[in-house]
């Protein structure tokens, strides 16, 4: 599992994670955490629009990075966008879907 947070650092961590997956003959799951954008000063409608836009961008970014890893390393790559706080979301996801290794790019 490769949680992504910062694009530049994520690119370097992705190369490491993908190389390990290729060497071990395993699939790679790329994960990012989408925090809530809810705020008391923002209307529910505006907040929903921001959430949708932000989540769509996060998924598109992951898919773009995943495609690069697929082409470069010829491995299976899955993507997952989690919701909430990064530490809790990643820990809960790892407990529900135990990875052999977690390579993190930041935090």
């Amino acid at each position: 599992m490769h949680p992504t947070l910062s694009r530049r650092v994520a690119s370097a961590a992705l190369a490491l994670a993908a190389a390990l997956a290729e060497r071990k003959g395993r699939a790679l799951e790329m994960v990012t955490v989408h925090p809530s954008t809810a705020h008391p000063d923002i209307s529910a409608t505006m907040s929903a629009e921001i959430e949708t836009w932000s989540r769509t961008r996060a998924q598109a970014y992951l898919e773009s990075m995943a495609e690069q890893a697929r082409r470069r390393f010829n491995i299976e790559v899955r993507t997952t966008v989690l919701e909430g706080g990064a530490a809790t979301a990643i820990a809960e996801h790892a407990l529900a879907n135990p990875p052999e290794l977690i390579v993190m790019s930041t935090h």
Side-chain angles (χ1 to χ4, degrees):
M1 180 167 72
H2 171 249
T4 61
L5 297 167
S6 162
R7 290 183 189 224
R8 186 178 50 184
V9 176
S11 182
L14 174 58
L16 172 63
L20 289 169
E22 178 186 42
R23 187 172 300 134
K24 294 289 189 177
R26 305 284 190 203
L28 175 64
E29 178 183 22
M30 295 180 64
V31 174
T32 193
V33 180
H34 178 259
S36 173
T37 58
H39 189 277
D41 294 334
I42 300 175
S43 71
T45 301
M46 178 62 80
S47 184
E49 288 178 28
I50 293 169
E51 291 277 340
T52 299
W53 178 85
S54 177
R55 192 170 210 297
T56 300
R57 290 200 30 113
Q59 185 66 49
Y61 166 69
L62 272 186
E63 288 298 332
S64 170
M65 295 296 287
E67 187 55 36
Q68 290 176 33
R70 288 181 192 110
R71 283 195 313 264
R72 181 174 172 194
F73 295 94
N74 195 31
I75 58 173
E76 177 188 347
V77 181
R78 296 182 304 273
T79 62
T80 304
V81 177
L82 304 174
E83 300 292 332
T88 301
I90 292 168
E92 288 174 353
H93 185 72
L95 287 172
N97 308 282
E100 291 183 41
L101 175 69
I102 297 176
V103 176
M104 296 191 65
S105 58
T106 60
H107 301 0

